[in-house]
């Protein structure tokens, strides 16, 4: 299925399944990677930062390794019921309605078009990256004043000596 956001297709091959009773399951890793959420990943375990930056970030922590699966959102335990989360061949699948609720998104799955459309009240990581890229392009073309508060979203009264040349994003797969 495809993943749509603001009338744009973000992914063509997102794994989404419908199970008995009409519930829709979304592959967690594909969903998070497409939206570029920062994630720590181990077998049966995911820790994800989303919804802001720095101290405003929300932390989602799912652990399927113990006797009882556990989920914490900002250190607050969330009760999981049977059928909320599935571990299929090492991949984690979560009910669409719960996944989008837990990540503060709105979603709609069109089974005929095989399309999951999402909306967000906060800026998603891929949008922040694209905004930084656009800012760098405008700076390189000399179309704006290069100040730290515009480039790095950090209030600062000093001018940059040079135009930033790198946008570094680091991920680790432990």
């Amino acid at each position: 299925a495809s993943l749509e956001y603001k009338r744009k297709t973000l992914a063509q091959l997102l794994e989404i399944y419908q199970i008995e009773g009409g519930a829709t399951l979304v592959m967690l890793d594909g969903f998070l990677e497409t939206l570029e959420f920062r994630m720590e990943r181990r077998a049966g375990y995911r820790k994800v930062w989303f919804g802001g930056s720095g101290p405003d970030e929300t932390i989602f922590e799912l652990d399927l390794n113990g006797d009882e699966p556990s989920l914490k959102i900002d250190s607050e335990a969330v009760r999981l019921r049977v059928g909320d989360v599935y571990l299929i061949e090492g991949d984690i699948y979560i009910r669409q309605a719960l996944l989008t609720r837990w990540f503060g998104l709105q979603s709609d799955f069109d089974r005929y078009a095989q399309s999951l459309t999402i909306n967000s009240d906060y800026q998603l990581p891929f949008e922040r990256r694209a905004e930084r890229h656009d800012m760098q392009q405008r700076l390189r073309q000399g179309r704006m004043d290069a100040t730290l508060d515009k480039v790095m979203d950090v209030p600062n009264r000093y001018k940059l000596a040079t135009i930033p040349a790198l946008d570094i994003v680091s991920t680790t797969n432990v």
Side-chain angles (χ1 to χ4, degrees), residues 50 60 71 73 78 80 85 94 98-104:
F50 69 95
F60 170 94
L71 172 63
I73 299 178
V78 175
L80 292 173
V85 178
I94 298 180
L98 295 174
L99 180 64
T100 54
R101 181 174 5 132
W102 292 337
F103 284 91

Side-chain angles (χ1 to χ4, degrees), residues 17-34:
Y17 297 103
Q18 281 200 307
I19 57 175
E20 285 184 37
T24 303
L25 300 178
V26 179
M27 183 178 165
L28 181 63
D29 289 351
F31 182 81
L32 297 174
E33 287 169 358
T34 299

Side-chain angles (χ1 to χ4, degrees), residues 2-5 7-12:
S2 65
L3 180 61
E4 312 281 331
Y5 181 73
R7 297 189 177 134
K8 293 181 183 172
T9 301
L10 303 179
Q12 287 289 341

Side-chain angles (χ1 to χ4, degrees), residues 5 35 37 105 118 120 122-129:
Y5 181 73
L35 300 177
F37 284 114
L105 305 169
I118 61 167
S120 174
Y122 60 90
Q123 192 175 35
L124 297 171
F126 78 92
E127 291 179 295
R128 287 195 296 265
R129 180 191 45 78

